[in-house]
Amino acid sequence: MTAITGKRLTLEEYLKYNDRTDSQYELMAGELVAMPPKSPKNVQISLFLLVNFLKFVPFNRLSNKAEIVVAGSRATTRIPDLVVLTDELTTALEGATRSTITLDMPPPALVIEVVSPGKANEDRDYRYKRSEYAARGIAEYWIVDPQINRVTVLTLVDGFYEETRFTGNTAIASTIFPEFQLTAEQVLNAGENNAVKRQTDEVI
């Protein structure tokens, strides 16, 4: 991640910022930071989750582009790998010119982050975003970590996250989306094993 400007921006300045490129930025304590492209593995996992949530969540309640303004003394925004909106938030975003979830809007139902390699990325997803998303009132936060083959589900209880860790063939349990029926291994492999098995079954 690389800081772009030499000064700290207000949220209003950030929302108006346009360098006429396809670069993606987050605002971290008022500092504009360029986000590096995601690895193919992370993209596959994110898309796999999106496809599987589409089985029981309406299309208009899912986004892999939404940014969330999180609470803090300085303006900070986050762009999760996948966001599941509530009905109330979907209504609040209707007609918006930008998929920005501001502080005066209801929080999302769920955010999912796929951890990229490196200590800085690990700290951001496990430490900083954990406290930011809890303060924002997001009911559930999933951390999908391909580096250690683990999915951590954080559930908001009395303002703090309680965590449950899932590995291997353990089915991921969500309190707000009990319809989700995949195991940690299926998510971390982005369904690749299932695809191989189907191909093998077809040959046999």
Side-chain angles (χ1 to χ4, degrees):
M1 298 179 296
T2 305
I4 301 301
T5 61
K7 69 165 189 171
R8 295 189 184 278
L9 303 178
T10 65
L11 178 61
E12 291 71 22
E13 288 171 333
Y14 163 73
L15 294 176
K16 292 177 182 177
Y17 182 82
N18 183 1
D19 62 0
R20 294 178 173 80
T21 72
D22 293 329
S23 299
Q24 191 174 57
Y25 302 98
E26 286 185 342
L27 191 65
M28 299 184 186
E31 192 171 21
L32 190 66
V33 177
M35 307 305 293
K38 300 181 185 300
S39 70
K41 178 71 171 180
N42 283 28
V43 171
Q44 289 172 5
I45 291 174
S46 299
L47 290 175
F48 179 71
L49 286 165
L50 176 63
V51 167
N52 279 278
F53 270 98
L54 277 172
K55 295 175 182 179
F56 54 87
V57 176
F59 181 79
N60 67 338
R61 285 184 55 198
L62 291 165
S63 176
N64 58 2
K65 296 293 184 181
E67 61 182 345
I68 304 170
V69 180
V70 295
S73 57
R74 294 185 182 273
T76 298
T77 64
R78 297 299 189 184
I79 305 176
D81 291 293
L82 184 64
V83 178
V84 184
L85 313 177
T86 62
D87 289 333
E88 294 78 12
L89 181 53
T90 302
T91 300
L93 285 168
E94 286 179 358
T97 58
R98 179 172 178 147
S99 297
T100 301
I101 301 168
T102 55
L103 290 174
D104 60 343
M105 294 179 181
L110 167 69
V111 294
I112 299 176
E113 299 282 7
V114 183
V115 184
S116 296
K119 182 66 163 56
N121 294 316
E122 181 182 327
D123 286 344
R124 190 171 69 252
D125 289 341
Y126 280 97
R127 296 177 57 194
Y128 306 130
K129 291 181 182 179
R130 177 175 181 147
S131 59
E132 291 165 354
Y133 291 157
R136 189 63 180 83
I138 298 171
E140 210 163 89
Y141 169 32
W142 294 14
I143 304 173
V144 181
D145 196 336
Q147 280 65 245
I148 58 175
N149 292 317
R150 187 176 73 197
V151 177
T152 303
V153 173
L154 302 166
T155 305
L156 195 64
V157 179
D158 296 330
F160 297 93
Y161 280 132
E162 294 184 355
E163 70 175 55
T164 307
R165 299 175 178 181
F166 300 93
T167 58
N169 290 319
T170 305
I172 297 170
S174 168
T175 58
I176 56 176
F177 291 110
E179 305 95 329
F180 194 86
Q181 299 293 321
L182 298 179
T183 66
E185 183 179 34
Q186 287 173 311
V187 170
L188 291 160
N189 291 329
E192 289 178 2
N193 289 354
N194 290 351
V196 171
K197 183 178 184 304
R198 284 197 301 270
Q199 292 171 0
T200 302
D201 292 343
E202 289 171 1
V203 171
I204 294 175

